[in-house]
Amino acid sequence: MVEYSVFSLISNALSGHKNWGRAWRDPEPKKHYDVIIIGGGGHGIASSFYLAKNHGIRSVAVLEKGWLGGGNTGRNTTIVRSNYMLDENAHFYEKSLQLWEQLSHELNFNVMFSQRGVINLIHSDSQMDAFTRRGNTMRLNGIDAELYDREQVRRFLPYLDYSKNARFPIYGGLLQPRGGTARHDAVAWGLARGADRQGVDIIQNCEVTGFKMQGNRITAVETTRGEIGCGTVGLAVAGHTGHLAAKLNMKLPIESHILQAFVTEPIKPMVDTVVTFGAGHFYVSQSDKGGLVFGGDLDMYNSYAQRGNMPMIEHVMSAGVAMMPNLSRLRVQRHWGGIMDMSMDGSPIIGKSPIDNLYLNCGWCYGGFKATPGSGWGFAHTIANGKPHPLNAALNLDRFRLGRTVDERGAGPYPNRH
Amino acid sequence: MIRISCPYCGLRDHDEFTYIGDATKNRPTDDASDEDWFNFVYIRDNPRGPHQEYWQHIQGCRAFVKVLRNTLTHEVLATGLPGDVLSNKISEGKNEPSAK
Ligand SMILES: Cc1cc2nc3c(=O)[nH]c(=O)nc-3n(C[C@H](O)[C@H](O)[C@H](O)COP(=O)(O)OP(=O)(O)OC[C@H]3O[C@@H](n4cnc5c(N)ncnc54)[C@H](O)[C@@H]3O)c2cc1C
Ligand SMILES: [Zn+2]
């Protein structure tokens, strides 16, 4: 497969760009793989990439029921950050951010990672205290953070509502300058090409429909393209985890919920960072094509439907206009939904399962895109060694039984409140 | 918009209600085992299909309403009071609204 470089670009330009090869193969499933990863989203593909690259395990298949990155990976608002406070999260997400910083280079594929900063707005004295504490904790953990006062925010984001009528007055903001966005499809494609080049079989249109068991082990997965034998299985199906877990008689601390996102008609560059407005639950960035990409809260009820409902659309729009009044002049071009694997403490699960050769990668809530490289890296380590890496060791399934939950938001065991 | 039939108020838009959650979970007794408490607090069936859940008619009569709803289609299959046992009337072939 061709290496992308200025030379390959020039030579292909001379032949009218008609001779570019495939970026990855479209193989038929083999009879058996040492590792089968279920789910061809960012996490599944990244796991296969690092299994091959870091651990030399190349008999790997990624089974995807639809098309690559057609799940939450292709539906998310692409915010990448590591502004966490709890140690169990902070070091893991910071590792992921560091992997993002070298990902395009590592993959020889531009994932358009743009460190344009992520700022959380602050709207009260008590929030100012809380964010000061968060920022200090981040800095003590070696993660970048800057606290802005109202005037600094006004200079940075002149288009927000600073009037006396503002629904939530802006007191300041906490900025993570190294945060930003990446191009979601490019992440899936770049990782797929990287995995494929090391021998991983990426098999699309292949839905896992059941499991063959022997004692407490999975010996094969049943798919719409036949039965495939396996050594180890990694489950990375995000919002569909509950559905597949049920086929294994496994119940998990997870509920599936729907989250919507929106994009406006393209406009000239205006939002050159990522702004999040926690008081109204709204966040916005601008894509390279010019559309404002934004989202808000869950629809709140359990759902596997991948399509949202009108009341939440209205809520997100009103929150957005409260923060950024000029938004009311724009037309929304598209909106869509994705199914979130909401965990009971708001933190993910990467680790062992009650089944001997099954590993779980789930519970990402609405923050798993930023974890894509870190999740794959940690999951590959966990599968290859049969035990977690210290960076994801606390994000295990047992923590719920043991009462060691990692509840960043302090919201308690209510999956739709994280 | 999902339409939910409140046993007291009749068919209403779902944004008059607050979603409470899974209605199959019963609080264990104080002396129940750790395992029972773990299952109650953290573990959910999370089905793709009919799901029993509580909604509170917060902007109406404030009653808790038990709802049987398909999580894949959002279709409301039956509603009742919290103590009611709901059966899937629609899949049993009766198409009339399930409000009392
Ligand atoms: C609207 C929205 C906005 C979001 N915004 C952000 C954000 O700004 N920042 C952030 O960090 N995160 C965000 N997220 C969350 C993020 O998108 C996810 O956590 C992350 O992409 C999950 O990646 P994944 O690979 O685990 O899942 P997915 O990309 O969903 O991949 C899972 C794959 O499994 C496949 N699958 C399911 N069942 C089967 C089966 N039986 N057999 C085979 N394959 C199967 C699916 O088709 C799917 O492709 C957002 C999500 C949504 C929906
Ligand atoms: Zn009522």
Side-chain angles (χ1 to χ4, degrees):
Chain A
M1 235 145 272
V2 61
E3 182 80 10
Y4 297 145
S5 69
V6 67
F7 304 108
S8 64
L9 189 64
I10 292 169
S11 72
N12 277 285
L14 293 176
S15 58
H17 293 296
K18 286 183 189 135
N19 300 318
W20 285 105
R22 294 187 67 102
W24 60 85
R25 297 164 297 131
D26 181 22
E28 282 300 312
K30 295 187 188 125
K31 286 267 160 298
H32 181 278
Y33 293 92
D34 290 348
V35 181
I36 287 182
I37 304 282
I38 307 174
H43 291 210
I45 313 167
S47 305
S48 73
F49 172 74
Y50 288 112
L51 272 170
K53 180 166 182 228
N54 292 357
H55 306 283
I57 300 176
R58 283 156 202 269
S59 165
V60 180
V62 178
L63 308 182
E64 165 54 50
K65 76 169 173 183
W67 66 96
L68 267 187
N72 294 341
T73 299
R75 294 162 186 270
N76 84 98
T77 46
T78 76
I79 302 169
V80 175
R81 57 187 172 87
S82 65
N83 53 358
Y84 285 81
M85 197 162 80
L86 300 182
D87 281 350
E88 296 88 337
N89 282 328
H91 298 296
F92 170 75
Y93 284 105
E94 175 57 20
K95 170 70 190 178
S96 193
L97 185 55
Q98 288 169 10
L99 290 169
W100 276 111
E101 285 172 329
Q102 61 192 47
L103 197 62
S104 293
H105 185 70
E106 187 172 9
L107 295 176
N108 175 239
F109 197 99
N110 188 0
V111 299
M112 295 164 79
F113 180 49
S114 155
Q115 293 180 291
R116 56 185 69 182
V118 174
I119 186 163
N120 302 126
L121 297 178
I122 299 170
H123 305 279
S124 67
D125 284 329
S126 54
Q127 267 198 329
M128 195 59 148
D129 289 346
F131 273 102
T132 307
R133 177 171 175 238
R134 176 174 294 265
N136 286 336
T137 311
M138 287 167 62
R139 290 175 80 127
L140 285 170
N141 275 329
I143 301 167
D144 59 320
E146 293 194 24
L147 192 67
Y148 278 11
D149 64 17
R150 181 179 162 90
E151 278 316 304
Q152 285 169 300
V153 175
R154 191 204 285 267
R155 276 200 298 279
F156 187 46
L157 310 168
Y159 42 81
L160 303 185
D161 188 354
Y162 298 91
S163 72
K164 285 208 168 60
N165 299 329
R167 174 67 185 83
F168 295 100
I170 294 170
Y171 277 54
L174 184 68
L175 173 73
Q176 183 180 23
R178 285 164 61 243
T181 57
R183 167 96 200 278
H184 44 17
D185 292 330
V187 173
W189 299 335
L191 283 165
R193 174 171 170 271
D196 177 275
R197 294 217 285 182
Q198 298 177 82
V200 171
D201 280 0
I202 293 179
I203 301 164
Q204 304 181 67
N205 298 313
C206 180
E207 179 173 357
V208 172
T209 52
F211 299 90
K212 277 246 159 72
M213 304 287 296
Q214 211 170 66
N216 197 31
R217 292 182 69 80
I218 302 171
T219 52
V221 299
E222 291 158 2
T223 80
T224 47
R225 295 177 69 172
E227 190 180 301
I228 309 175
C230 57
T232 305
V233 180
L235 192 64
V237 294
H240 302 274
T241 304
H243 180 59
L244 279 175
K247 294 185 187 297
L248 290 159
N249 294 320
M250 197 167 61
K251 291 183 182 175
L252 296 170
I254 287 182
E255 281 184 4
S256 294
H257 283 262
I258 176 147
L259 181 70
Q260 306 192 55
F262 310 84
V263 65
T264 68
E265 59 192 321
I267 54 168
K268 293 242 165 108
M270 177 170 77
V271 182
D272 61 356
T273 181
V274 181
V275 191
T276 81
F277 172 45
H281 214 138
F282 177 84
Y283 43 88
V284 63
S285 65
Q286 188 165 12
S287 81
D288 291 337
K289 283 191 282 185
L292 297 186
V293 180
F294 58 90
D297 226 331
L298 297 172
D299 274 31
M300 288 298 166
Y301 45 81
N302 292 47
S303 174
Y304 281 88
Q306 256 185 183
R307 71 170 183 277
N309 236 307
M310 289 299 167
M312 189 46 68
I313 296 179
E314 195 175 346
H315 176 81
V316 172
M317 301 301 158
S318 48
V321 172
M323 180 189 99
M324 211 172 129
N326 57 7
L327 205 61
S328 67
R329 305 279 299 272
L330 291 176
R331 272 176 289 251
V332 168
Q333 237 169 19
R334 282 178 289 131
H335 74 99
W336 61 90
I339 303 303
M340 320 280 37
D341 34 341
M342 300 301 297
S343 70
M344 282 286 175
D345 63 357
S347 297
I349 298 165
I350 321 177
K352 294 186 160 196
S353 80
I355 293 165
D356 290 347
N357 59 340
L358 174 74
Y359 291 83
L360 297 175
N361 180 316
C362 56
W364 293 100
C365 302
Y366 29 60
F369 180 70
K370 66 170 118 59
T372 302
S375 160
W377 180 89
F379 200 42
H381 180 101
T382 307
I383 291 174
N385 295 289
K387 59 174 197 280
H389 188 277
L391 282 178
N392 63 280
L395 302 173
N396 57 35
L397 177 62
D398 285 343
R399 70 177 187 268
F400 297 95
R401 182 175 262 109
L402 299 173
R404 293 194 194 124
T405 51
V406 184
D407 189 345
E408 185 83 22
R409 204 165 173 202
Y414 303 97
N416 54 358
R417 290 189 203 162
H418 288 286
Chain B
M1 187 78 75
I2 300 172
R3 305 265 279 161
I4 294 172
S5 186
C6 169
Y8 298 108
C9 312
L11 205 56
R12 315 294 302 182
D13 287 354
H14 88 263
D15 62 349
E16 290 184 13
F17 297 76
T18 292
Y19 184 68
I20 305 292
D22 193 328
T24 63
K25 292 284 160 180
N26 293 318
R27 190 185 168 84
T29 56
D30 284 352
D31 57 358
S33 66
D34 286 357
E35 194 62 19
D36 287 346
W37 277 99
F38 163 67
N39 280 318
F40 168 66
V41 176
Y42 293 118
I43 295 300
R44 296 292 176 267
D45 287 352
N46 192 24
R48 187 174 95 178
H51 183 236
Q52 294 203 47
E53 55 201 27
Y54 289 125
W55 293 70
Q56 188 183 6
H57 197 190
I58 198 100
Q59 305 204 47
C61 65
R62 302 187 71 84
F64 276 69
V65 181
K66 198 189 242 185
V67 178
L68 184 68
R69 190 180 54 93
N70 186 330
T71 58
L72 188 57
T73 61
H74 296 169
E75 182 183 13
V76 173
L77 305 169
T79 62
L81 293 171
D84 290 352
V85 178
L86 301 184
S87 64
N88 186 343
K89 292 183 184 161
I90 293 179
S91 70
E92 286 163 14
K94 294 183 216 150
N95 250 332
E96 67 269 33
S98 51
K100 289 181 183 156

